[in-house]
Amino acid sequence: MKIKNICCIGAGYVGGPTMAVIAQKCPEIDITVVDINEKRIAAWNDENVDNIPIYEPGLSEIVEEARDRNLFFSTDIDAAIDKADMIFISVNTPTKTYGIGKGMAADLKYIELCARQIARVAKDDKIVVEKSTLPVRTAQALKDILDNTGNGVNYQILSNPEFLAEGTAVDDLMDPDRVLIGGDIDTSEGEEAVQALVDIYAHWVPEDRILTTNVWSSELSKLTANAFLAQRVSSINAMSELCEKTGADVNEVSIAVGMDSRIGSKFLKSSVGFGGSCFQKDILNLVYIAKSFGLNEVADYWEQVIIMNDHQKKRFASNIVKTLYNTVSGKKIAFLGWAFKKDTNDTRESAAIYVADYLLNEQAEIVIYDPKVRAEQIYADLDYLNTRTEEENRKQVKVVNSAYEACEEAHAVALLTEWDEFKELDWKKIYESMLKPAFLFDGRRLLERKTKEKIGFEFYAIGS
Ligand code: UDX
Ligand code: ADP
């Protein structure tokens, strides 16, 4: 089976970059990325590729090359479904905010809407690929809807979880550790569908890195991978607190531990806490699934990763209050960084949001600078918490266009995202513009202690 037309529903962080790379590598396949969000599609089609809605190093160049050749962005979802042999579902699956499983289970509302739309429109056989992270056995739900509401056409459901990390999405897509494809490999139709997707990736990924499994293993592997990664961060963060008490330095500990080839050196960087759209959501989802099978010990084990992460964010914030003589009321705190990590404009679940919320409850005034995050996003993140009114958020929080402006006359600076440019700042100039004693809290272990102390800062860093 040769795929000629692909439709991708959802033009977000996953759908956009993934389809751009497939389009670049497979010029013979026409790809249409569709979304209900007209503004987002218009941005993907913006003449100036610098205005595409997702910032990822290397992405705009690929979009420029493939767009309007074999990569299209559209709001005409029905037409794209109708034309496609293969449909990727890359819509959002947030944690449920209502009803059963509130705060834990994944909300599959958007996935179900997609399935119903595909069933209504499709007039010939389709391969449907789950790209969004989903709870185990979602494929069955998808198949039920497609088979029961469709026009009698055949569907093959594949699971093809994405493992791309934001900020390195293009590299991760170009040179993946592995591509995982789950399908109904016990039937010849299922095998054929799996092979069709293998053939697409085989345009640029060595075949020994393309792994095929049954659907359930594929779905669960995605949750497992994210749970393991998050667990490493929570493990080193747990040690960071112990380091602060004992005189050990968490960076030294992580180097020493990471040199053990059985442990490995990656993902052992202590921080103010992990963020991002995946880790918390996927672990909560895993906890929910385990509980629903009565596996309470399994559920508790993984929940601890989240509890530790929440503790780390709170600990960082409360340390600021404690250090500033137990009150930050009316004091100006400069935030350097708001994104959940460097090289992305994504702020979902960013630790900065929760640190800010804590300090705002203590009546601090916060002035924020992030090189890629816009003011409206920052206010939206704070408003979403519903801790105080929108008016209060705008009164207590200011967003500015430079690090120097943020730090001027501040009582303290909190570094929340590890943007490279923060290393290169003129820290002496910042020190001189601040109120004294000038406190500097490094939540990312980005800055060198010695030089900052020499300038005169009261310097605090996670895990030392
Ligand atoms: C993650 C997974 O890495 C990716 O495979 C999956 O598909 C989606 O979720 P992402 O959320 O983009 O990707 O970012 P990632 O680089 O994994 O970082 C997540 C969070 O952990 C960030 O807030 C980061 O700052 C933090 N982190 C990461 C640490 O604090 N220390 C580390 O050592 C690594
Ligand atoms: P992710 O990180 O998983 O890619 P995003 O929120 O960045 O998540 O992107 C998901 C996209 O899916 C959003 O742009 C949203 O508008 C889109 N979307 C959600 N439901 C539908 C739907 N039923 N049809 C088309 N697009 C949808």
Side-chain angles (χ1 to χ4, degrees):
M1 193 190 304
K2 268 248 162 313
I3 302 297
K4 291 196 201 71
N5 265 292
I6 289 178
C7 160
C8 173
I9 308 180
Y13 282 91
V14 175
T18 308
M19 292 305 126
V21 169
I22 296 182
Q24 191 205 33
K25 298 291 185 184
C26 309
E28 78 284 9
I29 303 178
D30 275 349
I31 301 181
T32 309
V33 187
V34 292
D35 204 295
I36 37 175
N37 183 337
E38 288 176 16
K39 246 173 94 183
R40 208 166 210 186
I41 291 296
W44 279 111
N45 281 323
D46 198 300
E47 255 175 61
N48 180 355
V49 277
D50 291 335
N51 293 336
I52 58 174
I54 282 157
Y55 169 73
E56 278 294 335
L59 179 61
S60 56
E61 290 84 347
I62 297 175
V63 170
E64 181 150 53
E65 180 190 330
R67 196 172 59 183
D68 297 331
R69 178 190 72 190
N70 65 325
L71 176 65
F72 307 92
F73 295 92
S74 163
T75 50
D76 191 348
I77 304 177
D78 283 1
I81 291 174
D82 183 35
K83 209 169 59 174
D85 325 300
M86 185 178 265
I87 301 165
F88 286 79
I89 303 185
S90 307
V91 300
N92 34 337
T93 50
T95 304
K96 270 186 92 174
T97 52
Y98 56 89
I100 298 174
K102 178 179 170 184
M104 299 224 105
D107 192 343
L108 299 181
K109 173 167 77 182
Y110 305 106
I111 296 278
E112 181 167 344
L113 284 173
C114 288
R116 290 187 186 278
Q117 189 161 8
I118 295 169
R120 178 171 56 74
V121 172
K123 294 193 287 290
D124 45 26
D125 296 356
K126 310 274 184 209
I127 299 172
V128 176
V129 187
E130 307 173 337
K131 195 80 199 158
S132 319
T133 308
L134 296 167
V136 190
R137 303 205 83 89
T138 305
Q140 190 60 50
L142 267 180
K143 189 150 179 52
D144 283 348
I145 294 169
L146 291 169
D147 287 348
N148 286 306
T149 61
N151 305 317
V153 304
N154 288 314
Y155 293 100
Q156 281 297 324
I157 317 286
L158 303 181
S159 157
N160 173 220
E162 53 79 22
F163 293 103
L164 54 88
E166 287 176 29
T168 55
V170 171
D171 286 345
D172 295 340
L173 285 161
M174 294 284 190
D175 185 24
D177 287 344
R178 77 326 207 163
V179 169
L180 181 56
I181 300 173
D184 188 4
I185 42 181
D186 295 329
T187 65
S188 60
E189 296 88 348
E191 213 177 330
E192 207 183 332
V194 168
Q195 192 56 45
L197 188 51
V198 169
D199 290 342
I200 291 175
Y201 284 107
H203 278 71
W204 76 98
V205 180
E207 295 238 11
D208 61 354
R209 278 197 251 155
I210 306 178
L211 203 65
T212 57
T213 64
N214 77 32
V215 183
W216 326 123
S217 301
S218 169
E219 287 180 337
L220 188 58
S221 300
K222 171 63 201 263
L223 294 185
T224 309
N226 276 346
F228 275 43
L229 290 169
Q231 183 203 40
R232 281 175 74 92
V233 178
S234 274
S235 296
I236 199 69
N237 280 345
M239 292 307 155
S240 74
E241 191 170 13
L242 206 50
C243 286
E244 288 165 31
K245 298 287 180 218
T246 56
D249 182 317
V250 77
N251 279 1
E252 292 177 353
V253 171
S254 73
I255 290 170
V257 168
M259 281 175 80
D260 186 324
S261 60
R262 293 168 302 177
I263 296 174
S265 61
K266 291 183 184 160
F267 255 76
L268 285 180
K269 180 101 180 125
S270 185
S271 68
V272 55
F274 61 73
S277 68
C278 282
F279 284 177
Q280 170 151 324
K281 180 186 81 178
D282 287 357
I283 292 179
L284 288 173
N285 194 3
L286 195 63
V287 170
Y288 182 75
I289 294 168
K291 275 195 183 144
S292 69
F293 286 112
L295 309 179
N296 294 327
E297 290 77 6
V298 177
D300 291 348
Y301 177 77
W302 287 110
E303 192 165 15
Q304 202 59 38
V305 173
I306 301 285
I307 293 172
M308 188 63 227
N309 196 50
D310 288 340
H311 172 67
Q312 187 77 347
K313 295 181 263 189
K314 204 166 149 206
R315 187 168 87 73
F316 185 77
S318 66
N319 183 42
I320 295 179
V321 178
K322 251 188 271 159
T323 310
L324 269 69
Y325 317 110
N326 285 316
T327 177
V328 289
S329 178
K331 291 184 181 166
K332 178 178 164 184
I333 317 279
F335 269 37
L336 298 187
W338 189 260
F340 79 97
K341 63 176 190 182
K342 73 171 180 177
D343 291 341
T344 176
N345 59 351
D346 194 350
T347 63
R348 288 178 287 181
E349 293 301 329
S350 179
I353 301 171
Y354 298 93
V355 174
D357 194 49
Y358 187 100
L359 295 175
L360 291 171
N361 281 343
E362 295 287 331
Q363 302 181 344
E365 285 171 20
I366 300 184
V367 182
I368 301 164
Y369 167 69
D370 185 290
K372 288 283 175 205
V373 182
R374 290 205 308 251
E376 58 189 281
Q377 183 60 50
I378 292 175
Y379 289 124
D381 291 336
L382 289 169
D383 293 343
Y384 184 78
L385 297 178
N386 254 328
T387 320
R388 60 196 74 69
T389 64
E390 296 187 7
E391 207 180 11
E392 285 167 327
N393 280 333
R394 278 146 196 79
K395 213 173 127 212
Q396 275 181 275
V397 179
K398 296 274 166 292
V399 182
V400 297
N401 290 323
S402 91
Y404 299 109
E405 197 183 338
C407 299
E408 219 173 280
E409 300 204 347
H411 290 79
V413 175
L415 193 149
L416 277 312
T417 311
E418 72 282 23
W419 287 102
D420 290 335
E421 68 173 67
F422 296 156
K423 263 190 289 197
E424 313 304 329
L425 290 171
D426 182 344
W427 282 98
K428 194 157 182 294
K429 178 171 154 189
I430 289 179
Y431 174 78
E432 279 158 9
S433 76
M434 287 174 65
L435 300 185
K436 307 294 174 325
F439 294 97
L440 175 53
F441 298 87
D442 182 355
R444 293 287 183 168
R445 293 301 299 259
L446 187 78
L447 307 173
E448 204 203 11
R449 173 183 289 277
K450 258 197 215 141
T451 53
K452 303 301 166 288
E453 284 182 341
K454 202 164 157 221
I455 292 172
F457 282 107
E458 295 284 333
F459 186 78
Y460 295 83
I462 290 271
S464 79

